[in-house]
Amino acid sequence: MDVVVCLKQVVDPELPARDFAIDPATRRQARDGRTLVISTYDENALEVALQLKERTGGTITVVAVGPQAALGEAVRKALAMGADEALVVDEPRAPGWLGAQVAPVLAAAIRRIGRADLVLVGCESADWVERVVAPLLAEALGASCVTFASRVEPADGGVLVRRMADDGVHHVAARLPAVVSVTSDEANKPRLPKVKDIVAAKRKPLTVVAAADLEADTAWRLPAPEVREVAVPQRTGTCEMLGGEPAEQVEALVRRLRELKLL
Amino acid sequence: MPVVLTDEHRMIQATVREFAARELLPIAAELDQTARFPAEALARAAELGLMGMMVPETYGGAGLDPLAYVIAQEELARASAGFQTIVTVNNSLVCDPIVRWGTEAQKRRYLPDLAAGRRLGCYCLTEPSAGSDAMALRTTAVLRGDEWVLTGTKLFVTNGVEADLCVVYARSEDAPGARGISAFLVEKSFPGVRVGKVEKKLGIRCSSTAELIFDGCRVPTANLLGGRGDGGRIALATLAGGRIGIAAQALGIARACLEEAAAYVGQRVQFGAPIASFQAVRWAIADIATRLEAARLLTWRAAVRWGTGELQPAEAAMAKLAASETAMFAAHKAVQLFGGYGYTQDYPVERYFRDAKITEIYEGTSEIQRLVIARHLLRSA
């Protein structure tokens, strides 16, 4: 099975809160000088692809859209983890894009790659959490779509997907080509690259194309939402002291929590 | 000489940091308290390629440069200095001399297993009466037919209990000091090797430190490492690299102290304010950070020179001296900043304090490092 995994690069979600800032000019998260990593669930998607390849063979191509220079490390890590090759779509504006803007470019990139039985993406990006790329990609590629997959198995020329839903677990059979968005699961915890594979990743094929050369088909595209304002929620805290004996304090505390509708 | 980390170095750093966070941090305190050998975590480290980092790929290693090695060692030691001890001995005191002086047959027989974690190595130099004066060692090697017969007792052997392969230094030639010594690759399964006393230690407790007794141990002549009488030179050159590994360990311990202390002083409130707002506390943090950066630059420079083949023993000695004394300084300050809590096992700084001390002692005490540095500077005097 030939698999394409889409990677997004985001500001490391593990950075301390004090390093989070919004650029007022672009109304986007500030990236300057901050560590950039592969968006969390995209690594789970890559792990699912690697396990599928171990079982069924085939190839894994990773595709990423963004400024080429910044993307190097993320793509290299994916290659070190075991992807066979990478396609980078050089697009300096991409870090500010939302899902509706990036999806047609990804679709064009996947058509350029040619072989893609299965496209895997993270179920949501660690920064915008829109959850729209998988359905938009499936629409653009004329593929079936399954979201929030924890496991993907090959079955009868298609895939069998274990899907995490609000009401429990769905087992979905999908025909190929398919776009599947992946959530985290004990079974798809991303592996660490071997140190020698980090070196070897340099020798794997990496193709760079300019976004303008891809001729993305935008006819089907939804208009991208306009971001009017982004703000960091301000939390304020107040402290009430409850007097009296311990038993009275407990009563007062319970009463107060009920008033606040916390109990 | 500028030291620049490549993308590869940064990726290796991130990978080993993640490995340490997943596999070592959750068990580091328990490993220390129980002095348990971390076999499972070592197997995972071997899968990642951390047991033979500088071994060429032809022999199953990762084929990395010493700077990558040093960066990885700091990350391991940041989480568990004891674990890193096991790894660094295998890499720099066992694999490295086989890569540099081993015959093709020796490399093929031992390096793939050492790099894959199927065998563990140890380095047998120190003896009861030959510590800092290592070249006064008395273990003998006598040639009988096509075998060497080794007799003597080695002390403070890291990995001594679990190791499968020992690099043993013994007196084989009728010459004084270093010139009479040869190096041998001794498999633990060879007849006449046994483990003696196992030490109970202050720190790095999950790595074993043992006495190894060679009682008429028979070693095939094919297992002579280097030439006859080369052992003293091999031991000292190996130690130069080994000392850089210990310097990296000290950096990891010092960084652990800095990171834990910086987090603690930000939340510990006394006299109505976080203690991080007090100047005495801020100065302590600044002093640790400055010494750590300086020691790291010395260590990285020594690693780069190791990689280019230009390393002088004094450079390795300076890196180890600066880094180990920084680790002790940082641990001392960190315990003090934590106050009473720092003296308890509820926080990790007491472990760092115990672990730090060994870096001033093994692979040459701070006094020996100063002697090496001064000897280099005052050659004519």
Side-chain angles (χ1 to χ4, degrees), chain B residues 50 62 108 121 129 164 168 237 244 248 283 287 290 309 346 355:
Chain B
L50 302 181
R108 296 215 170 274
S129 57
D164 311 283
V168 183
I244 297 174
W283 286 16
D287 286 346
T290 305
D346 291 346
D355 286 343

Side-chain angles (χ1 to χ4, degrees), chain B residues 246-268:
Chain B
I246 302 306
Q249 175 179 49
L251 296 178
I253 298 169
R255 198 177 99 219
C257 293
L258 176 64
E259 289 174 359
E260 293 292 335
Y264 182 78
V265 301
Q267 30 171 285
R268 172 68 171 165

Side-chain angles (χ1 to χ4, degrees), chain B residues 223-240:
Chain B
N223 280 36
L224 176 71
L225 181 65
R228 289 178 65 159
D230 286 347
R233 191 168 58 85
I234 293 173
L236 295 178
T238 299
L239 274 179

Side-chain angles (χ1 to χ4, degrees), chain B residues 68-261:
Chain B
Y69 168 66
V70 155
I71 287 166
Q73 297 311 302
E74 178 181 331
E75 295 305 323
L76 296 178
R78 161 68 183 89
S80 169
F83 182 90
Q84 186 268 351
T85 299
I86 301 168
V87 175
T88 198
V89 165
N90 196 69
N91 274 280
S92 56
L93 295 188
V94 182
C95 289
D96 189 53
I98 299 175
V99 169
R100 288 162 74 180
W101 291 283
T103 62
E104 187 59 25
Q106 288 169 346
K107 290 178 188 178
R108 296 215 170 274
R109 180 169 173 80
Y110 295 117
L111 289 174
D113 282 355
L114 288 166
R118 290 187 295 268
R119 286 185 202 245
L120 185 69
C122 69
Y123 175 89
C124 305
L125 179 66
T126 298
E127 296 183 3
S129 57
S132 290
D133 186 10
M135 295 301 121
L137 63 86
R138 292 179 186 169
T139 294
T140 56
V142 178
L143 187 59
R144 281 196 197 132
D146 57 359
E147 285 181 333
W148 289 94
V149 178
L150 269 58
T151 304
T153 297
K154 294 292 180 178
L155 218 57
F156 301 139
V157 179
T158 300
N159 298 346
V161 173
E162 301 83 9
D164 311 283
L165 182 69
C166 320
V167 181
V168 183
Y169 297 90
R171 191 159 294 286
S172 63
E173 311 302 312
D174 186 19
R179 282 180 292 125
I181 297 170
S182 296
F184 300 89
L185 299 173
V186 181
E187 296 179 26
K188 190 76 104 20
S189 58
F190 286 172
V193 189
R194 66 189 157 89
V195 177
K197 184 185 173 209
V198 180
E199 305 296 343
K200 293 180 178 164
K201 305 196 295 291
L202 179 69
I204 56 164
R205 286 166 45 79
C206 69
S207 77
S208 68
T209 304
E211 181 183 50
L212 284 190
I213 298 154
F214 299 88
D215 186 4
C217 170
R218 301 205 309 275
V219 180
T221 48
N223 280 36
L224 176 71
L225 181 65
R228 289 178 65 159
D230 286 347
R233 191 168 58 85
I234 293 173
L236 295 178
T238 299
L239 274 179
R243 283 167 181 164
I244 297 174
I246 302 306
Q249 175 179 49
L251 296 178
I253 298 169
R255 198 177 99 219
C257 293
L258 176 64
E259 289 174 359
E260 293 292 335

Side-chain angles (χ1 to χ4, degrees), chain A residues 244-263:
Chain A
E245 295 298 311
E248 296 165 347
Q249 287 178 328
V250 169
E251 262 182 47
L253 177 61
V254 170
R255 196 166 51 241
R256 193 72 190 97
L257 289 174
R258 288 207 170 117
E259 283 169 15
L260 293 167
K261 300 197 186 318
L262 292 169
L263 273 184

